[in-house]
Amino acid sequence: MACTMKSVTMRAPVTVASKSAQAGPVAVAARKNAAVPARAFLGSTKGFSARSMSNTSRRMVAVKAVGNEKVAEGYATALAEVATSNNSLEAVHSDMETLETLFTPELESFLANPVHSDDNKKSVLVKMAEQAQFTPYTTNFLKLLVDKRRSSAIAAMVSAFDDKYCELTNTEVAMVASAVKLESEQQFLIAKKLQELTGAKNIKLKPTVDESLIGGFIIRYGENGSQMLDQSIKGKFEALAAEMA
């Protein structure tokens, strides 16, 4: 879930459901940047340049991101197993959807700051969980992530849990880009058509708006969006131009 999108899920029998956050914002303490004294560098700077340092920084960020994804997958699978064994998979998934809307950059920064104690971090998360009426499984899981120093992977874990949920519930995820915001009835009809095409038990739409399409919509589904249905005016113009070329 790279960008923030409101998802609509269609299950059999056909229904369209959406969930909004139930909790208000959580106050997060901020800390002013402190000056750090310079240290002597006892070595050669030969071979170092702004470009090489920049490339090194990018590689470090990439490695960290991959590491968080691996960690997130493991924790998400464990949470899905606990939720399933306690007949609470749907409830925990609902918690994850709410958590995604509440997990702001400010909260992420607060949890990543080593200055704040684990007890303080857990207190903030528990308060948020109580306001959002999370299940005990989700609340305890968030506290476990703090204890294990894995709170930085919460955002990635939410995304990984959604993937695991879709796998367990035979849910086909489809990205729908449209020139204007789609009405609920339009989303329902698209989901119903995709259910017929894919044979999936459930369909989860992730709609976005792309004004460059002029009109209509484009649907991407299947593994990594390998399948596409282009019903946009832009697509029709491009097809017509290709025929005339």
Side-chain angles (χ1 to χ4, degrees):
M1 303 185 265
C3 55
T4 303
M5 297 174 287
K6 183 179 180 182
S7 62
V8 177
T9 305
M10 188 183 82
R11 300 181 174 86
V14 176
T15 59
V16 177
S18 64
K19 187 175 187 294
S20 60
Q22 303 173 19
V26 178
V28 177
R31 179 174 180 266
K32 293 182 179 179
N33 293 328
V36 179
R39 296 181 180 179
F41 176 71
L42 304 179
S44 171
T45 59
K46 184 179 181 180
F48 284 87
S49 66
R51 178 177 295 179
S52 65
M53 293 299 289
S54 177
N55 290 339
T56 299
S57 297
R58 283 196 292 268
R59 286 194 294 270
M60 290 175 67
V61 170
V63 169
K64 183 177 180 181
V66 172
N68 272 352
E69 288 179 4
K70 292 295 184 182
V71 169
E73 289 174 7
Y75 277 92
T77 298
L79 178 58
E81 290 175 352
V82 170
T84 301
S85 63
N86 288 278
N87 297 316
S88 298
L89 183 61
E90 292 295 336
V92 172
H93 181 248
S94 179
D95 290 347
M96 292 296 105
E97 289 186 324
T98 301
L99 179 59
E100 183 178 22
T101 67
L102 297 176
F103 201 73
T104 62
E106 292 78 15
L107 178 56
E108 184 175 14
S109 177
F110 169 79
L111 294 172
N113 193 332
V115 171
H116 302 300
S117 68
D118 288 351
D119 287 341
N120 194 8
K121 294 175 182 179
K122 284 190 283 188
S123 177
V124 169
L125 290 174
V126 168
K127 182 178 180 180
M128 178 185 69
E130 289 174 349
Q131 291 178 341
Q133 299 180 343
F134 286 169
T135 65
Y137 310 111
T138 301
T139 302
N140 291 335
F141 187 73
L142 291 175
K143 292 191 291 185
L144 175 66
L145 291 177
V146 174
D147 289 335
K148 297 295 185 180
R149 303 290 197 276
R150 295 299 190 184
S151 56
S152 62
I154 288 180
M157 190 274 296
V158 170
S159 177
F161 183 90
D162 188 60
D163 292 341
K164 191 65 179 178
Y165 169 83
C166 290
E167 176 186 326
L168 293 172
T169 58
N170 187 21
T171 298
E172 180 73 40
V173 179
M175 314 294 289
V176 183
S178 57
V180 297
K181 183 178 179 180
L182 296 173
E183 299 295 334
S184 297
E185 181 63 22
Q186 292 173 309
Q187 294 185 39
F188 174 86
L189 293 174
I190 290 173
K192 185 177 180 181
K193 184 62 177 178
L194 280 175
Q195 197 171 43
E196 295 173 356
L197 286 173
T198 63
K201 182 179 180 181
N202 309 304
I203 298 294
K204 182 173 183 177
L205 299 183
K206 292 187 175 182
T208 58
V209 173
D210 182 355
E211 296 179 354
S212 71
L213 298 180
I214 306 174
F217 54 85
I218 295 176
I219 305 172
R220 288 184 172 85
Y221 64 100
E223 186 175 358
N224 298 320
S226 58
Q227 302 295 318
M228 183 178 77
L229 292 174
D230 190 345
Q231 296 296 317
S232 68
I233 292 178
K234 179 182 178 181
K236 295 183 187 302
F237 281 160
E238 290 177 346
L240 181 61
E243 290 179 3
M244 297 175 65

